[in-house]
Amino acid sequence: MTDLVALTTFERRLQRLLEPVIYDQGFMLVRLRFGGSRKKSLQIMAEKTDGTMTVGDCATLSESLSHILDIEDIIALDYSLEVSSPGIDRPLTKLEHFERWIGFEAKLELFDILDGRRRFKGIIQKVIGTTIHLAIDDETTAITFSLISNARLTLSDKLLQFTAATPTQIS
């Protein structure tokens, strides 16, 4: 089990329960979120190891997760389960996501202020240990993974061209 960005204690508990099921089905967990103001939802983003995720894959995974959630009865509230692919402008929730998307632009939001700001947008240059290096304008900013509350790829011509040229990456 790898760490995902910014999970609550309850979401970590859900991750420990669901991630083995997700992997047993041949998928990788990209993001897990539980929340909502009135009606709660459990959002699972996943993909196959080749980066694909079809509607049929979502349905299959949803059925498996629903079954385990019903058995374990871990969520005492009314909620909906949403299983989806990460999409083109995908969230970056693990260090390996940043490594996979070196050379592409990303938006990051931090828990606290770093260098006078909480939001950063730049090209992922490299990942060293747990530090992500972003090229922002003519400078490089180093951001420790544990400081990131939210991150995602930025929709760009380069990203669109890449995904069009490599259809197995996103579907």
Side-chain angles (χ1 to χ4, degrees):
M1 185 170 82
T2 56
D3 285 342
L4 298 176
V5 169
L7 292 182
T8 66
T9 303
F10 182 65
E11 288 170 332
R12 288 245 179 259
R13 198 168 146 213
L14 285 167
Q15 180 187 6
R16 285 191 302 274
L17 173 67
L18 300 177
E19 195 163 34
V21 176
I22 293 168
Y23 284 134
D24 286 348
Q25 295 286 316
F27 302 100
M28 296 181 304
L29 179 62
V30 174
R31 183 169 73 185
L32 180 150
R33 285 208 175 144
F34 182 77
S37 54
R38 289 189 177 168
K39 174 111 168 134
K40 301 291 184 192
S41 68
L42 173 57
Q43 181 191 57
I44 303 290
M45 282 188 182
E47 64 187 358
K48 291 181 185 173
T49 55
D50 67 0
T52 63
M53 189 70 170
T54 67
V55 173
D57 293 333
C58 290
T60 299
L61 186 55
S62 180
E63 187 175 315
S64 298
L65 296 177
S66 291
H67 181 71
I68 194 74
L69 288 164
D70 288 345
I71 291 171
E72 295 296 325
D73 199 25
I74 192 171
I75 303 173
L77 308 166
D78 285 337
Y79 72 97
S80 62
L81 174 61
E82 302 170 7
V83 177
S84 66
S85 77
I88 293 175
D89 56 342
R90 62 178 297 125
L92 304 169
T93 60
K94 300 177 183 181
L95 276 169
E96 54 260 31
H97 293 163
F98 288 92
E99 292 168 347
R100 178 179 172 194
W101 295 99
I102 287 174
F104 290 88
E105 188 177 63
K107 290 180 185 179
L108 284 67
E109 186 170 331
L110 309 184
F111 288 109
D112 295 310
I113 294 173
L114 174 69
D115 297 333
R117 54 200 275 201
R118 289 185 62 201
R119 291 180 181 86
F120 295 84
K121 181 178 177 181
I123 305 295
I124 304 168
Q125 284 191 314
K126 59 186 171 183
V127 178
I128 300 174
T130 60
T131 303
I132 294 109
H133 296 261
L134 284 183
I136 303 170
D137 299 323
D138 293 331
E139 297 182 18
T140 299
T141 300
I143 300 172
T144 305
F145 180 73
S146 62
L147 299 177
I148 300 170
S149 65
N150 195 16
R152 70 181 319 107
L153 288 177
T154 304
L155 193 57
S156 65
D157 288 341
K158 180 179 179 179
L159 183 58
L160 289 170
Q161 289 169 355
F162 177 77
T163 56
T166 54
T168 59
Q169 294 295 316
I170 310 282
S171 67

